Amino acid sequence: NAGVMQNPRHLVRRRGQEARLRCSPMKGHSHVYWYRQLPEEGLKFMVYLQKENIIDESGMPKERFSAEFPKEGPSILRIQQVVRGDSAAYFCASSPGLAGYADTQYFGPGTRLTVL
Amino acid sequence: GIQVEQSPPDLILQEGANSTLRCNFSDSVNNLQWFHQNPWGQLINLFYIPSGTKQNGRLSATTVATERYSLLYISSSQTTDSGVYFCANERGGADGLTFGKGTHLIIQP
């Protein structure tokens, strides 16, 4: 049973470009979470999605950031017009969603975004 | 929002030593997890422990929900235990986890 998969593992973008980060949850998991880890800091919650629904996006910047989890395919975190401050590690986690929100979350390896 | 405080922030030990890492919460403990982030950046689940005690090899964890804290014990440390240990709790009834700032552990040979 494969774990949470993220790609790419490393992504380099120039200021003003778009970054697309992908996350495939563990098999059988229907809940996806995105977190951001800035250098030398802990992880900060960004957004929580279920299939075709954004449940909680309170941690996501209002501008330039968006997320989706379509019926088919991976979850996508999209950052438009990237700036240097977006450089960070972005982690995706998934949970089965069997116990409401009190679920163990399993994390992917992360995507390290560098904005030049 | 919920506050998660970890101590100590840094810890340097010799191989073979034991250690205790602590996590305090400002709110109720609902979805308490401990993670190890290795030097390559990977986050590894250690324990899901909203209450009680669990053990896995040289690691064990105890959460006292009524007093809003959790402890992670590492016995007979090995160099591969080095990295950052995070605890996280559910965000005050909302979805997603709130993480502490971590304990940076270095095990020296």
Side-chain angles (χ1 to χ4, degrees), chain A residues 28-48:
Chain A
H29 286 193
S30 60
H31 294 204
V32 166
Y33 310 80
W34 286 93
Y35 295 83
R36 177 167 64 177
Q37 185 177 32
L38 294 169
E40 305 302 321
E41 289 190 16
L43 285 82
K44 304 289 187 185
F45 167 80
M46 297 181 74
V47 61
Y48 162 44

Side-chain angles (χ1 to χ4, degrees), chain B residues 36-52:
Chain B
H36 174 214
Q37 188 167 37
N38 64 23
W40 295 270
Q42 289 183 299
L43 272 169
I44 300 164
N45 292 73
L46 296 178
F47 295 102
Y48 169 75
I49 184 165
S51 64

Side-chain angles (χ1 to χ4, degrees), chain A residues 35 37 56 101 103 105, chain B residues 31 33 37 45 90-91 97:
Chain A
Y35 295 83
Q37 185 177 32
D56 181 355
Y101 47 74
D103 255 338
Q105 294 184 24
Chain B
N31 185 351
Q33 294 187 236
Q37 188 167 37
N45 292 73
E90 183 184 279
R91 297 184 310 122
L97 295 170

Side-chain angles (χ1 to χ4, degrees), chain A residues 84-102:
Chain A
R84 289 211 174 115
D86 296 332
S87 295
Y90 292 82
F91 288 90
C92 168
S94 73
S95 68
L98 298 176
Y101 47 74

Side-chain angles (χ1 to χ4, degrees), chain A residues 44-92:
Chain A
K44 304 289 187 185
F45 167 80
M46 297 181 74
V47 61
Y48 162 44
L49 309 104
Q50 296 178 19
K51 285 285 187 181
E52 299 184 282
N53 282 307
I54 296 174
I55 306 302
D56 181 355
E57 57 182 349
S58 59
M60 199 153 67
K62 295 289 187 284
E63 296 180 353
R64 301 188 298 109
F65 286 72
S66 62
E68 63 177 9
F69 188 16
K71 187 176 180 180
E72 301 291 338
S75 175
I76 306 285
L77 179 67
R78 182 183 178 201
I79 311 172
Q80 296 178 291
Q81 299 176 323
V82 296
V83 300
R84 289 211 174 115
D86 296 332
S87 295
Y90 292 82
F91 288 90
C92 168

